[in-house]
Amino acid sequence: MLDYRMVRIVTWLLVSIFLIRKTPLGSKKNYVILTLLTCVVGLGSLSTQFPVENIFIGYQSPKDVFNYYRGGKMVGNIVEIVDGKSSSMIVFSKNNDFGWVFITPETDKGYVIPSWLTVKKYTRNIDEQSYGPFIVNVTIYKIVDTNDYFYYGSIITEEENVSITDSNNVNVKHFYRDDTSFNSSIIFYGYVENLTGEYHFLIGDQKVSIENQLKTAPK
């Protein structure tokens, strides 16, 4: 079965061949062909961000969408699937490297491919990442038209056995990984419903707020 990107390559390649064959002979033929190819490449790139499959297809599980969009195990291994009320986040590794997430919204017909219109991403400014012995990076994802929020972050520290909780006094899912660039690296992630600026993390004895982060424009 063709995956998400291969479907687009084959589709627009066929479109290119068809349009070129229909191009009339003449001195402007090369110009017309170049214009057509440029348009086809542009449409191909645009179609990756606004998947037409969502109009016709719904998948039974988040893993089914992942297997189609990312190529499944050919791309990476799933670490965990975190379910929200109207969506799910897949945490996965790629070439033994952690730091990858895939978020799929759930609709009436099933799970669908994410696009620019369905998932908003809130990143942190690099100047706001230091908290005592911890360098913290957190990304917040919001599913449009829902109350689903997911977070995915990393911590660089020399500390061992670091405790991570949130403002709801819930233990945050996390794991350690080997990293040759730093002494220690911790990955943490989870789901929160109706996330507000009052929500924060407690990493060791350091409070990591996301209030300013949620005020910034999503990227």
Side-chain angles (χ1 to χ4, degrees):
M1 180 180 178
L2 296 178
D3 66 14
Y4 183 74
R5 288 168 179 79
M6 188 58 66
V7 167
R8 276 147 182 78
I9 292 173
V10 172
T11 299
W12 293 111
L13 179 60
L14 292 175
V15 170
S16 299
I17 294 172
F18 173 79
L19 292 176
I20 290 172
R21 288 176 64 87
K22 293 296 182 180
T23 301
L25 295 175
S27 59
K28 295 183 178 180
K29 183 175 181 178
N30 290 338
Y31 172 78
V32 173
I33 291 175
L34 180 61
T35 301
L36 288 174
L37 289 176
T38 301
C39 292
V40 165
V41 171
L43 288 171
S45 300
L46 187 64
S47 66
T48 62
Q49 301 301 329
F50 300 96
V52 68
E53 290 96 329
N54 288 347
I55 300 175
F56 310 102
I57 303 172
Y59 296 86
Q60 292 185 349
S61 71
K63 188 175 180 180
D64 289 338
V65 187
F66 177 82
N67 286 339
Y68 173 63
Y69 185 87
R70 299 294 307 195
K73 292 184 178 179
M74 296 188 330
V75 174
N77 296 314
I78 295 176
V79 176
E80 186 170 352
I81 299 177
V82 181
D83 292 322
K85 283 195 171 182
S86 304
S87 56
S88 294
M89 178 177 72
I90 295 178
V91 180
F92 69 98
S93 63
K94 181 178 179 181
N95 298 325
N96 295 321
D97 178 38
F98 294 94
W100 302 84
V101 299
F102 177 81
I103 297 175
T104 169
E106 186 178 13
T107 67
D108 292 339
K109 60 177 174 285
Y111 291 92
V112 297
I113 301 165
S115 73
W116 283 353
L117 299 178
T118 57
V119 181
K120 290 184 177 180
K121 181 179 179 181
Y122 300 80
T123 57
R124 294 182 64 83
N125 186 298
I126 193 169
D127 295 332
E128 300 173 352
Q129 293 183 356
S130 296
Y131 295 88
F134 308 111
I135 300 175
V136 182
N137 184 35
V138 186
T139 300
I140 306 294
Y141 301 90
K142 181 185 187 301
I143 312 306
V144 175
D145 296 328
T146 77
N147 292 319
D148 279 6
Y149 290 82
F150 296 93
Y151 59 84
Y152 186 94
S154 64
I155 304 168
I156 306 301
T157 180
E158 297 181 359
E159 302 287 324
E160 297 181 356
N161 300 320
V162 177
S163 64
I164 309 174
T165 58
D166 67 7
S167 51
N168 296 324
N169 200 30
V170 174
N171 290 324
V172 173
K173 295 182 179 182
H174 66 281
F175 60 86
Y176 289 78
R177 70 173 185 182
D178 294 329
D179 195 315
T180 57
S181 301
F182 302 96
N183 291 306
S184 179
S185 181
I186 305 172
I187 300 297
F188 66 98
Y189 54 91
Y191 163 78
V192 181
E193 185 180 6
N194 293 319
L195 187 66
T196 68
E198 297 179 357
Y199 184 85
H200 60 268
F201 301 100
L202 291 173
I203 302 175
D205 59 356
Q206 299 291 317
K207 178 182 177 180
V208 179
S209 174
I210 61 169
E211 181 176 4
N212 291 332
Q213 186 170 346
L214 291 177
K215 292 179 180 178
T216 60
K219 298 180 180 180

